[in-house]
């Protein structure tokens, strides 16, 4: 989530999890809640923007799912095994609003890049690809694994990114992951 203090709006996005479906905009979507205090009515959450529909270069991944969310039949299997290797590497990570309110920043977990979304001080959804800009990928500080950025913070004109080393050396082979049971 990210709070836009100039308009009293709260932004949301999602990252891939098993047995939990995406929102209506899919993994490339950002949603917004406008508070009752700024609208003189009730708070409401709506779709804000599907970044991929504005800028096709933004692709947060969209693995094929094989489960039936919301059907609620506990007697039927719900495997969602296609998502097993995509958890935490599809969708978006953290969101943050710049101090001047002009930009919304996010981490695309699929391409591991930071993205800047121009929203202006009135928090208006972008309408052109030029308003959605990628920063280059980050150097890999990890040994024998991949750096997975997730957190992002805009502070005093600088962008800070946090992440983890995933312990996986070959994503096509999940057994290459670090054996967490034998860590000392």
């Amino acid at each position: 989530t990210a709070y836009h203090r100039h308009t009293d709006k709260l932004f949301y996005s999602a990252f891939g999890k098993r047995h939990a479906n995406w929102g209506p905009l899919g993994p490339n979507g950002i949603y917004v809640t406008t508070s009752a205090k700024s609208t003189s009515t009730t708070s409401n959450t709506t779709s804000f923007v599907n970044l991929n529909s504005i800028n096709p270069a933004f692709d947060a991944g969209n693995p094929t799912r094989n489960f039936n969310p919301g059907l609620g039949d506990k007697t039927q299997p719900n495997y969602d095994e296609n998502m097993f290797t995509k958890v935490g590497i599809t969708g978006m990570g953290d969101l943050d609003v710049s101090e001047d309110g002009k930009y919304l920043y996010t981490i695309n977990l699929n391409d591991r890049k930071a993205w800047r979304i121009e929203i202006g001080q009135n928090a208006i959804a972008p309408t052109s690809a030029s308003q959605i800009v990628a920063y280059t990928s980050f150097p890999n500080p990890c040994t024998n694994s991949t750096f997975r950025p997730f957190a992002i913070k805009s502070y005093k004109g600088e962008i800070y990114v946090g992440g983890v080393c995933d312990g996986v050396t070959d994503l096509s082979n999940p057994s290459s992951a670090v054996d967490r049971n034998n860590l000392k």
Side-chain angles (χ1 to χ4, degrees):
T1 62
Y3 179 67
H4 191 273
R5 63 184 167 89
H6 300 284
T7 59
D8 200 25
K9 292 180 179 179
L10 191 59
F11 293 96
Y12 308 88
S13 64
F15 64 90
K17 300 173 232 30
R18 288 186 73 208
H19 308 290
N21 210 356
W22 305 106
L25 297 176
N28 299 297
I30 295 178
Y31 306 88
V32 64
T33 296
T34 305
S35 95
K37 136 175 114 169
S38 66
T39 62
S40 301
T41 60
T42 59
S43 296
N44 66 343
T45 300
T46 59
S47 297
F48 183 68
V49 66
N50 179 330
L51 296 172
N52 180 257
S53 69
I54 305 295
N55 185 342
F58 189 96
D59 178 8
N62 197 5
T64 302
R65 307 296 292 274
N66 65 333
F67 75 116
N68 296 313
L71 295 181
D73 186 351
K74 62 184 175 189
T75 65
Q76 297 300 310
N78 186 352
Y79 299 109
D80 202 16
E81 73 271 5
N82 295 339
M83 195 63 189
F84 189 78
T85 60
K86 303 297 182 186
V87 171
I89 63 172
T90 55
M92 286 181 252
D94 194 14
L95 295 170
D96 195 41
V97 175
S98 62
E99 293 162 299
D100 62 6
K102 293 180 181 178
Y103 302 104
L104 179 64
Y105 294 95
T106 191
I107 298 290
N108 179 328
L109 300 177
N110 188 45
D111 67 12
R112 298 187 330 259
K113 293 180 182 176
W115 288 75
R116 185 189 74 197
I117 303 141
E118 185 179 333
I119 59 173
Q121 289 185 334
N122 293 324
I124 307 287
T127 56
S128 76
S130 64
Q131 293 176 286
I132 304 168
V133 179
Y135 289 92
T136 58
S137 359
F138 311 104
N140 186 358
C142 308
T143 304
N144 296 324
S145 67
T146 303
F147 177 61
R148 296 281 171 195
F150 193 94
I152 191 163
K153 179 68 179 166
S154 170
Y155 181 70
K156 293 188 177 184
E158 300 289 330
I159 304 299
Y160 297 88
V161 173
V164 298
C165 297
D166 68 5
V168 177
T169 57
D170 178 3
L171 286 177
S172 65
N173 179 10
S175 66
S176 70
V178 172
D179 183 355
R180 286 162 181 78
N181 295 321
N182 290 323
L183 291 177
K184 306 262 187 267

